[in-house]
Amino acid sequence: MKRPFFLTAVCFIAVIVLTIGYGYAEIGEGVVGSQQERMDEGGMVMGKDGGTEMAYGFPHPFFNHMGIPDMPGMVSARITGYRQGYSGEDSAGDYGFHLEAGIYNRLGLHVRNNAIKQSSRTDVMLMYAVLQDAEAESGVSVFGGALIPSGTIPEGQDDVVGAFGVAGRKVFKDIAIFDGNVHYMPEMKMVELGLSGIFKATDSMFPIIEVSGELTEDETIFYLLPALKFKLKPEVFLGVGSQIALTSDRELDRKSTRLNSSHTDISRMPSSA
């Protein structure tokens, strides 16, 4: 499957997500009012310009996904550019994206590919929050989906690979947010792990620590990503970071974002929803 089809599929999914989001703008005033109260109490905060930001002004994680879905109608896009390679060798550039959207109460959609040039599959999944606190800030979710072709699949491999797992989020008010998730892909006999901590240093600066891992029958790989995100406005964050290998088994020694090709985190909700 070629790249043009992949780009068309991503655009099609984006249109669907945006259509769903803006559909919430047509909800009656009574429903909008109750949603506004819920947002003000915890999970999300709506700004005067109609934009939204996460509870207490926090950004989304860097590469990791959130442990619970976004609010209904909220759309978040993370765009990342980076260079990576082995120590002592020339590095190569790549880029990725992560689209998240709240499509219904407790239900969210995730579409992501963190290595578009190298990865032949894109992750598409639905997440449902089975447990949430009263403010819809912290909770536990289950998710399921598939890695669909977005490039040339090596001969002998399945085109579509199923994936499912569990995720969680814990918010410590105005101090920190922790997200964790476990993916299992039976066809690939692989388990992926992700854990992120976002800390609030100031109202506009957020240190981030992420640990990611891949476990297969043949190898165990773990990476550490220290990063910083800066709030440019309530809906827009800019981040920089450097990922390093923690294990002798590794795909790459280092993955670094640059200031001129960095991580952008944009969240948006219709102004009347």
Side-chain angles (χ1 to χ4, degrees), residues 134-154:
E135 293 79 21
E137 295 174 348
S138 303
V140 176
S141 303
V142 294
F143 56 84
L147 280 69
I148 63 174
S150 55
T152 302
I153 304 298

Side-chain angles (χ1 to χ4, degrees), residues 35 130 134 140 194 220 248:
Q35 183 175 348
V130 294
V140 176
T220 298
S248 56

Side-chain angles (χ1 to χ4, degrees), residues 93-105:
D94 206 337
Y95 54 95
F97 76 94
H98 192 155
L99 178 70
E100 296 171 281
I103 58 178
Y104 197 69
N105 185 33

